[in-house]
Structure formats: structure tokens, C-alpha cells
Amino acid sequence: MAGQVEGKVALVTGGASGIGAAIAELLAQEGATVVATDIDELRGPELVAGINKAGGKAVFLQQDVTSEARWVEVIADIEQRFGRLDLLVSNAGIAIAVPSIVDMTFGDWRRQTSINLDGVFLSVKYGLPLMRKTGGGSFVMMSSLAGLRGAAGLAGYSATKGAVRLFAKAVAMECAAAGDGIRVNSVHPGIIDTPIWGKIPAEATGNRANAPIDPEERAKLATPLGRAGQAAEIAAGVLYLASDASRYVTGTELVIDGGMNAGAITRKA
Ligand SMILES: NC(=O)c1ccc[n+]([C@@H]2O[C@H](COP(=O)([O-])OP(=O)(O)OC[C@H]3O[C@@H](n4cnc5c(N)ncnc54)[C@H](O)[C@@H]3O)[C@@H](O)[C@H]2O)c1
């Protein structure tokens, strides 16, 4: 049976870890040729080696999504190798938590915005023209539940993710108006068990002196379904938005959060 994204060429940013790695693996399993990019030059090659060993098709390219010059090179490389780009998953992101927003340095605000928001802008600026050349495609932008609701300590992160949510909708309208066959949607994970939670204290302080956050512990109390999500459960949603099964879906937001956005329940001890 043909895979759900058979023959498509996909770029996944932040593809070396967590959600991005799960997306790269699932898209490859479903028949896409995957270009996984990341700043992590250790885990990225390991991931694509695993995909290729399992019979999939993947390459790793080093990419810092905040570098405009590197975006030009990465898209040119994809055009030269494959002649097309059908799917672009803008997934690379960091989270910086601070006790209060007034504790956030301007440098950290800018660094987080640069990766989480500027990186998504650059993915469209340079990815869209190549996607248009072959008559269509799908952009998936990784926002967050924090792009729909506020969270104390995460005001800067929320600002970037809320911006990604509306950026996706506006670009979706632009593509629809152009009739270019390109759909654009955002994905909003809740608490997902990935390495990002261990990095949150380090991102803010530059060291790992603070205890890492345990996502499972958090999710048990905060999530109606009573557990943290898995990266593969986000990848499943991305696959839907990437595949032709969602051909009538654009400008929407897919919330995958164990029910957190819907409300809260009181759990018996
Ligand atoms: N894990 C969660 O609970 C959760 C919830 C909501 C949204 N998200 C979002 O999902 C996305 C993936 O997060 P994750 O949980 O898999 O985290 P992760 O830390 O496991 O993976 C993020 C990847 O992005 C890469 N990256 C960081 N800065 C980069 C840069 N400048 N250029 C290129 N790559 C860079 C990292 O090296 C890493 O491989 C992020 O955008 C994050 O904000 C995660």
C-alpha cells in the first residue's frame, strides 16, 4: 500500500530531537523523502542513519533557522537534489522560562523570538517559492498550547507561539488568494515528553544548575487525559496536515493536548 505522503519531499526543521525527530521518522515511513535540519550535528546524522537503515529516505543538513544565508543554501540544496519541496514543517524552537517577565533579559527575548518566530518567517520566505514551482504543498508550523493560552513564566515563549499561530493563518490566506495549491496550518501541542523540558532551566540560566522540569509530573495534574503526550502523537497530527487527507484544510489550528485547552477536570486522588 502506498504511504500517505509517498513521493513527496519534506523539510523538517529542528529534526534532530523530540517532536521534529518523530515527524521526520513518520513522514519517511509514509513514503516521503525527508530533509531533517538542525543545529545538533550529533543527533541529526544519527536520526537519518536510523531512517535510512529502516528503509526510508532521509538526509541531514546542518541549519540554524535564524540564519538567512543558510536558508538560501538549504533551499538551493533541496532544489538541486530533488527538484521540488512539497512539505515544510517549521518545528525548531526553544522555551525560556523565567520567574517573571521582568527577569527576562532582552537578549533572551530576542534569541527566543529569533528561533521561534524569525525562523518560521524565513522558512516561508525561502521555502514558498520552491514549493510554488511544482504547483502546491503543505506548510505546518509548530506553535503550542502556549500560543492559545497564557502561562506564567512563559510570556516571551507565548508571544512567539501566538505570533506563529496568526502568521500561519495570514500566509494561508495569501496562498489561497494566489490559488497556488499551498495549504498552511499550525499545530498546538500541550505537554509533550521531549528533551525540551530538561533544557528550559538551562536556556534561561545558561547552565543546568536548576532542576529540569518533569513533563509527566506536570501533565498528571494539568492534563484532562492525565498524562504527558508523546512526540509520535504530534507527528500523527502533522502527517494528517501534510497528507492529501487534509486537502480541504487550511488556516486552521490542530490542538493536540490531552484536553487541556477544552477545560479542566477534578481528578479523584
Ligand atoms: N515538548 C513540548 O511539550 C512542546 C509543547 C508545545 C510546543 N512545542 C514545540 O515543538 C517544537 C519542538 O520541540 P521539542 O519538544 O521537540 O523540543 P526539543 O528540544 O526536543 O527539539 C527542538 C530541536 O530544535 C533544535 N533547535 C534549537 N534551536 C535551533 C536553531 N536555531 N536552528 C535549528 N534548530 C534548532 C534543537 O537542536 C532540537 O533538536 C518546538 O517549536 C517547541 O516549542 C513543544
Side-chain angles (χ1 to χ4, degrees), residues 48-127:
V48 303
I51 291 175
N52 290 321
K53 204 170 159 202
K57 286 183 274 214
V59 294
F60 174 75
L61 298 177
Q62 183 284 335
Q63 180 187 25
D64 179 340
V65 293
T66 68
S67 164
E68 184 169 14
R70 189 61 186 138
W71 268 107
V72 174
E73 290 169 359
V74 164
I75 295 297
D77 192 336
I78 291 171
E79 183 166 23
Q80 200 183 12
R81 283 177 201 238
F82 309 113
R84 60 187 303 122
L85 178 63
D86 305 287
L87 314 171
L88 204 164
V89 185
S90 281
N91 164 77
I94 62 165
I96 301 179
V98 282
S100 159
I101 191 63
V102 297
D103 299 320
M104 178 167 268
T105 66
F106 194 25
D108 276 351
W109 169 276
R110 281 185 164 154
R111 183 160 59 93
Q112 182 167 245
T113 305
S114 167
I115 297 170
N116 294 7
L117 182 57
D118 299 0
V120 180
F121 156 67
L122 291 171
S123 75
V124 171
K125 179 166 175 61
Y126 293 101

Side-chain angles (χ1 to χ4, degrees), residues 199-224:
K199 298 174 195 168
I200 287 174
E203 289 291 355
T205 61
N207 64 51
R208 291 186 174 267
N210 298 346
I213 298 164
D214 179 353
E216 195 54 53
E217 197 69 14
R218 266 202 177 200
K220 235 182 257 168
L221 296 174
T223 309

